[in-house]
Amino acid sequence: MGLMSKEHVAKKKFGQNFLKDRSVLYKIVEAMPKSDVIIAEIGPGLGDLTKFLVDVKSVVAFEVDTDLCQYLNREFKKEIKTSRLTLKCGDVLDAWQSELLDEPYVLVANLPYYIATNIILKALADPNCGYILVMIQREVAEKFSATPGDKNFGALSVITQTVGEASIVVHVPPEAFDPAPKVDSAVLLIEKRRSRDDEEFELMLRAAFTQPRKTLSKNLSSRYEKEQVRTALEQLGLVPTIRPHQVATTDYHLLFKILEKNI
Ligand code: SAM
């Protein structure tokens, strides 16, 4: 890296923790899909990950920090000239309508943690995004990838399993970054296979997990008639005392059909 990278003072408000551990960078690149679609990177920062990505495929990168944008424009002059890299300066959330790019893409990023959950939910809903490979806070990665019965199993896990499969590629300690974040991190992989379900389903999930330690039937009664909930659980062979994290994704879908569509 040039002089400027050493001079750049990380900005906390933008969640800037630069990934310096090369072995983790390699693991991210190894986990990328072999398909030939374009890569969207959110928050290229000082370009440590971007360097690897442009070697593999064309990249569109979104960076909010204007100082970093200037730096990246210089550092990646050649790649920008040949359109190997397209750099978009500004807040990615402003650029993201229902689709981030107007062609199929994979999302690969070391995300700013303060908006990580929001970004993943947007990517899950984005029909052009087929694959999500992101570094995030470990605790959040565990929520997205939890399976029924895990204590972390919640609405985020069900939404994820509805569209595909999630797994953790590697756990990453704070020392892998400069500056080191206060929390542990993990690289999360989500392979999308289906499109995200409708809004009503997610509202039902939100109700189901409002109080994770209470029974599912109590939580659902905030949205549906008590009696309707009781018979729906009975129909699926679920005991009335069952807790929300003990119910499988497929059962949530059946429950939704029974409660909303009376099927
Ligand atoms: N990719 C670099 C790396 O791996 O070292 C930097 C990752 S750092 C955790 C997050 C990056 O996201 C920073 O460069 C930050 O400026 C950028 N960022 C933060 N909020 C953003 C937003 N709303 N839109 C686009 N980029 C953002």
Side-chain angles (χ1 to χ4, degrees):
M1 276 284 148
L3 196 60
M4 162 77 193
S5 72
K6 293 202 183 79
E7 281 170 1
H8 180 80
V9 179
K11 298 186 180 110
K12 253 193 179 159
K13 66 168 175 177
F14 290 142
Q16 291 178 356
N17 299 98
F18 302 106
L19 179 57
K20 294 299 172 192
D21 187 328
R22 292 185 81 80
S23 69
V24 180
L25 285 166
Y26 292 140
K27 286 209 173 99
I28 295 175
V29 177
E30 262 168 36
M32 274 171 37
K34 305 292 170 259
S35 70
D36 211 27
V37 298
I38 202 164
I39 297 172
E41 187 191 5
I42 295 173
L46 292 165
D48 294 278
L49 177 59
T50 321
K51 276 192 185 149
F52 285 89
L53 301 181
V54 289
D55 266 352
V56 190
K57 281 167 205 168
S58 296
V59 178
V60 181
F62 300 81
E63 176 55 65
V64 73
D65 184 340
T66 43
D67 292 339
L68 287 178
C69 271
Q70 275 180 16
Y71 169 76
L72 291 163
N73 264 315
R74 279 201 303 274
E75 197 68 9
F76 289 90
K77 205 171 176 179
K78 197 177 90 228
E79 289 79 3
I80 290 172
K81 206 169 168 197
T82 58
S83 300
R84 191 65 176 175
L85 175 67
T86 306
L87 184 62
K88 304 221 180 210
C89 296
D91 187 333
V92 68
L93 294 176
D94 292 340
W96 206 333
Q97 300 310 318
S98 59
E99 288 123 33
L100 181 59
L101 301 182
D102 54 15
E103 61 181 303
Y105 71 92
V106 301
L107 174 63
V108 184
N110 171 18
L111 288 178
Y113 293 179
Y114 73 106
I115 42 170
T117 301
N118 190 1
I119 286 176
I120 296 172
L121 287 173
K122 281 186 90 76
L124 287 172
D126 184 337
N128 280 342
C129 177
Y131 202 93
I132 301 168
L133 180 62
V134 286
M135 172 89 73
I136 53 173
Q137 194 170 332
R138 177 173 175 163
E139 203 188 309
V140 180
E142 282 167 355
K143 283 189 185 155
F144 276 101
S145 58
T147 47
D150 286 358
K151 68 173 187 339
N152 286 319
F153 189 71
L156 293 179
S157 338
V158 180
I159 293 172
T160 307
Q161 291 183 8
T162 302
V163 299
E165 273 110 63
S167 58
I168 288 179
V169 174
V170 62
H171 290 129
V172 185
E175 308 82 72
F177 303 85
D178 183 21
K182 288 203 176 67
V183 294
D184 285 333
S185 303
V187 176
L188 173 75
L189 166 67
I190 303 175
E191 290 180 74
K192 285 173 70 181
R193 303 202 195 281
R194 301 168 284 275
S195 60
R196 193 166 149 193
D197 243 24
D198 61 29
E199 219 174 298
E200 293 293 311
F201 178 66
E202 289 179 17
L203 288 174
M204 181 200 79
L205 284 180
R206 201 171 296 171
F209 286 94
T210 11
Q211 300 195 67
R213 264 162 273 281
K214 293 265 158 68
T215 62
L216 175 64
S217 93
K218 180 165 189 330
N219 285 343
L220 284 178
S221 300
S222 65
R223 188 168 161 81
Y224 306 95
E225 295 290 324
K226 235 182 177 152
E227 186 52 25
Q228 201 193 353
V229 173
R230 195 190 64 76
T231 49
L233 292 183
E234 197 175 79
Q235 232 175 302
L236 292 174
L238 301 172
V239 292
T241 51
I242 202 159
R243 314 273 145 169
H245 70 280
Q246 297 172 314
V247 176
T249 301
T250 44
D251 280 338
Y252 274 113
H253 284 277
L254 291 172
L255 207 51
F256 178 67
K257 284 197 178 120
I258 297 170
L259 290 171
E260 292 276 342
K261 303 182 178 152
N262 297 316
I263 294 171

